[in-house]
Structures are given as C-alpha cells and as structure tokens.
C-alpha cells in the first residue's frame, strides 16, 4: 500500500515537472518566429534582431553545469521552482525592453534561468525512480518538453500576430508563474527521504572518477555523436527545403515541426516497444530509423515525402536519446544533477560543433552527402551503444538525497 502511494506521489510530481519542461521549451523556441516583429519595432535588420536568440542560447548552454552542481547541493525540486520564478521575471523584463540590446540582456538572463529546469527534473526522476522503471517515467516527463518544442513557435506566432511581441512575453511570464505556483503546491506530493544523503564529494572528485567509468564515457560519447550527427544536418534542412522545393518559410517550419512529432509518437508507443523489444534493441532500431529518415531527405525528389522523413528521423532520435537520458541519470549516482547537467552540456556543445563541421561540407558539396554520412554514423554508433550499454552495468546508485 505504501509503495502504491509513493508511486502516485511520484507520478503527480513528474506531471508537475513536465509542465515546467513544457514552459521552458516553449520559451526556448518562441523568439524565432518573432524576428520580423522585433526588426520592425527596433529598426534593425532581421540578422541584427537574431542576437536575442544567440543571447538566450549562450545563457542556456553556459550555465547548465553550474545549475546541476547547485541542485545537488541545495535540492533539485526547490531549485526548479526558483528557476521558474526567475524565468517569469526575465520574461516580464523582456516586455519592457527599449532597445534590441536590452532585450538581448533580458533573453540572456532568461536562458540562464531556464537552463537547469530540464536537467534537474531528469536528475530528480533518477533520484526517486528505480532504474528498472525509469525509462517510461522519463518518457512521460519528456512528452512535456517535446510538446513545448513543437508548439513554441506556433504559440509565439499566434500571440505575436494578434497581441504583439511584448504581450507575448508577458503571457509567457504568467505561464512560468502558474507553473511555479503548481510546483509549490506540489510539495505536498513529495516526501523527504529517510535515507542518509550521499557523502558530499567535490566536483573534481566526481569528474575525475569519470575517467575510469567506462559506462559513463559510453553514455557521454553517445550523446556527443548524436548531437553532431542529428543536429548538424538538421540545422541546414530548412534552408535546403526552401531552395529545393521553393516552399515558403512557414511551410518549412511545419515540415521541421514533424521532428518533435516523431518524439510524441515514440512516447505513445514506448511501453509496448519496451515490453516487446527491450531497451538495447530499441537503441539499435533508432539508428536504422534515423538512417532511413536522413537518406530519404537526401535522395527523395518528392515534397510529400519530406514531412514523413523528418518524422521518422525524430522517431529514431528519441529511440536513441531517451535511453541515453535514462542512463545519464546513473553516470554519477551520488550527484545526479551534476551528471545529467554534464550530459546536457555535452549535447549542447555537440550540436554547436555539428553545425560548424557540416557548414563547410554543405558549402562545397551540398547537403545530401552530409545526410548519407550522418546516416552511416548513426546506424553504426547505435549498434555500438546498444552493445556497450547492454554489456556494462551502471555504477551502484547512491541513497536518495533529502529533496523536495
């Protein structure tokens, strides 16, 4: 009976954490669609207005690791609640910007505030859900972040068109306040662990131990390959579709939105896939789906096949990425916030590196060769990951820290 009650409590908390992930993901993508409005309002070019996107990405990527350390020290759930409040303040401040520079500063602060919401939630799940049950719970949580990524530009575009970009940022601020209030209310569903908290060790001690942790190195190596091979070509896919098929940018956005749609399909089917195939087979299959999606993008001359290819690519991505997220919660069991933040930072850096590596190839030979090369890399690396993670066990979990 107590175990069932604990499961219900954790389920309710994961739902609240998923709402925070949804808010963070909506905020992450919302400014992309507002660039023309910002350009007109501030009298700058669209390229100059894009500094608000760069500023957010800089704050978001640079602070994940630090936030993970803080979460391990002071409590992940409480810190997520505080970060939602800070995100509300940053969004409200953005609405008052009198110049593009002021807006960029507000977005930089917003990126810093939102940077820890998703990694800390994943780490919290790792602290409270046994490894054998973690992947379906993680997928339920990620459905919120995937939906936010899918709807961010749509919501932002609709609000900006009818009410202006300033009112849109205020609406997002209100959304973060609602989520923060819900998380505060949700503390009634969390319980302090009666187990002693794990021994405190320094960051350098944890990172130094990773050198001898083959399991952790496989997980981090997998996410680096994933970040480069998926997001390198994906960054240029929109421009490629626009030039190849002559479609407008709005239609391009709808095609690219099929990528997180593939993630929602994965979330819906996950329980059946786990029961029938198991985690390691799913990772291997993810490489196959990704290869099919990339090769279709590179070779198919038909526009109608592009949304299908992007959705298949997204499905393959989550077949690989969701198990890696689960394993990321185990690479440093005594400091999950640090471990998951290291995982997230590795993915962020790999995405940036992927774009830098792909750019000169695209300029010289076009995008199709990149699609085919990435397809081969992902198919092979998925097989390596499935075998490597299947053979190696995670480090022994530490006692769950006292955290609400």
């Amino acid at each position: 009976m107590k175990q069932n009650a604990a499961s219900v409590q954790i389920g309710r908390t994961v739902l609240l954490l998923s709402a925070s992930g949804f808010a963070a993901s909506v905020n992450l993508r919302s400014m992309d669609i507002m660039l023309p409005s910002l350009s007109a309002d501030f009298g700058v070019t669209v390229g100059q207005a894009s500094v608000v996107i760069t500023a957010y990405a800089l704050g978001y990527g640079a602070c994940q690791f630090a936030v993970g350390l803080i979460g391990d020290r002071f409590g992940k759930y409480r810190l997520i609640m505080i970060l939602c409040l800070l995100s509300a303040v940053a969004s409200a401040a953005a609405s008052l910007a009198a110049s593009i520079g002021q807006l960029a500063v507000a977005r930089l602060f917003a990126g810093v505030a939102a940077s820890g919401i998703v990694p800390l939630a994943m780490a919290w799940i790792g602290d409270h859900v046994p490894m054998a049950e973690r992947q379906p719970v993680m997928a339920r949580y990620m459905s919120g972040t995937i939906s936010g990524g899918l709807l961010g530009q749509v919501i932002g575009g609709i609000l900006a068109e009818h009410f202006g970009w300033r009112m849109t940022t205020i609406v997002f601020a209100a959304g973060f306040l609602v989520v923060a209030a819900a998380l505060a209310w949700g503390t009634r569903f969390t319980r302090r662990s009666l187990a002693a908290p794990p021994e405190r060790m320094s960051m350098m001690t944890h990172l130094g131990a990773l050198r001898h942790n083959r399991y952790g190195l496989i997980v981090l190596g997998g996410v680096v390959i994933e970040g480069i091979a998926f997001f390198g070509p994906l960054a240029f896919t929109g421009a490629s579709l626009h030039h190849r098929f002559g479609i407008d940018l709005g239609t391009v956005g709808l095609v690219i939105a099929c990528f997180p749609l593939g993630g929602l399909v994965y979330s819906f089917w996950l329980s059946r896939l786990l029961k029938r195939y198991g985690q390691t087979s799913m990772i291997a299959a993810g490489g196959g789906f990704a290869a099919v999606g990339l090769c279709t993008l590179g070779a198919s001359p038909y526009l109608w096949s592009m949304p299908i290819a992007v959705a298949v690519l997204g499905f393959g991505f989550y077949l690989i990425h969701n198990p890696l997220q689960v394993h990321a919660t185990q690479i440093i069991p005594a400091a999950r916030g640090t471990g998951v933040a290291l995982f997230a930072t590795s993915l962020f850096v790999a995405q940036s590196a992927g774009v830098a590596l792909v750019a000169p190839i695209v300029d010289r030979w076009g995008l199709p060769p990149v699609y085919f090369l990435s397809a081969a890399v992902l198919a092979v690396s998925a097989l390596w990951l499935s075998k490597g993670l299947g053979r190696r066990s995670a480090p022994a979990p530490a006692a769950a820290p006292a955290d609400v």
Side-chain angles (χ1 to χ4, degrees):
M1 185 67 69
K2 289 184 179 179
Q3 186 174 2
N4 289 338
S7 297
V8 171
Q9 289 177 339
I10 288 172
R12 288 169 174 167
T13 304
V14 169
L15 182 62
L16 294 173
L17 292 174
S18 185
S20 70
F22 177 86
S25 297
V26 166
N27 200 35
L28 175 65
R29 306 306 309 171
S30 61
M31 280 288 170
D32 297 13
I33 202 73
M34 299 183 204
L35 291 182
S37 297
L38 298 176
S39 172
D41 259 22
F42 292 115
V44 297
T45 66
V46 171
Q48 291 169 330
S50 68
V51 69
V52 301
I53 297 174
T54 304
Y56 188 95
L58 180 63
Y60 191 89
C63 294
Q64 288 187 359
F65 192 65
V67 172
L69 292 171
I70 296 170
D72 282 332
R73 178 70 177 173
F74 297 105
K76 303 172 186 68
Y77 188 93
R78 288 191 188 92
L79 186 54
I80 292 170
M81 187 167 52
I82 292 170
L83 291 176
C84 286
L85 288 171
L86 292 176
S87 295
V89 171
S91 293
S95 70
L96 303 175
S99 68
I100 197 68
Q102 290 180 11
L103 181 58
V105 171
R107 289 297 290 174
L108 176 68
F109 180 65
V112 172
S115 63
I117 291 175
V118 174
L120 288 172
M122 290 168 51
W124 188 94
I125 292 170
D127 283 342
H128 294 82
V129 180
M131 184 66 172
E133 304 169 17
R134 200 171 296 167
Q135 188 164 347
V137 175
M138 192 76 76
R140 286 198 296 274
Y141 166 74
M142 289 304 297
S143 65
T145 62
I146 294 169
S147 299
L150 179 62
L151 296 175
Q153 294 191 49
V154 176
I155 294 172
I158 293 173
L159 290 174
E161 183 172 347
H162 290 89
F163 304 104
W165 70 266
R166 293 182 188 275
M167 182 57 68
T168 301
T169 60
I170 292 174
V171 171
F172 289 155
F176 273 115
L177 282 177
V178 169
V179 171
L183 289 169
W185 172 77
T187 55
R188 63 189 294 184
F189 300 131
T190 61
R191 301 181 305 169
R192 289 186 177 274
S193 171
L194 297 178
E199 180 185 355
R200 298 288 184 190
M201 292 190 291
S202 70
M203 175 189 70
M204 296 309 298
T205 301
H206 287 307
L207 295 181
L210 272 178
R211 291 180 301 170
H212 310 292
N213 180 357
R214 291 292 300 275
Y215 171 85
L217 293 176
I218 288 173
V219 174
L220 294 175
V223 80
V224 167
I225 294 171
E226 180 187 63
I228 293 172
F230 272 106
F231 293 100
L234 195 63
F236 298 91
T237 295
S240 175
L241 292 172
H242 176 64
H243 291 299
R244 283 174 61 193
F245 298 102
I247 55 179
D248 62 82
L249 296 180
T251 304
V252 169
L254 290 175
V255 174
I256 300 301
C258 291
F259 187 88
L261 187 62
L264 289 179
V265 172
Y266 163 81
S267 298
F268 181 75
W269 282 352
L270 175 60
S271 296
R272 280 170 281 187
L273 290 171
L274 275 175
K275 288 179 182 177
R276 185 163 184 178
Y277 300 108
Q279 188 184 80
T280 55
S281 296
M282 284 170 51
I283 295 174
F289 277 102
V292 169
L294 287 166
C295 289
T296 302
L297 285 171
S300 176
Y302 304 109
L303 177 59
W304 60 263
S305 66
M306 296 296 104
I308 299 172
V310 173
V312 170
L313 181 62
F315 184 67
F317 171 76
Y318 284 100
L319 279 170
I320 299 172
H321 188 64
N322 182 237
L324 282 177
Q325 288 177 316
V326 173
H327 286 287
T329 63
Q330 286 296 109
I331 60 176
I332 309 179
R336 294 188 204 276
T338 302
V340 175
L342 179 60
F343 174 86
T345 301
S346 298
L347 177 60
F348 184 87
V349 172
Q351 289 179 24
S352 301
V355 175
L357 290 171
V358 166
I361 301 175
V362 171
D363 288 342
R364 181 157 186 162
W365 291 292
L367 194 53
V370 176
Y371 284 138
F372 301 139
L373 177 61
S374 295
V377 169
L378 286 170
V380 172
S381 64
L383 289 173
W384 167 70
L385 280 171
S386 65
K387 291 181 179 179
L389 294 176
R391 287 198 305 263
R392 297 186 183 279
S393 59
D403 192 7
V404 296

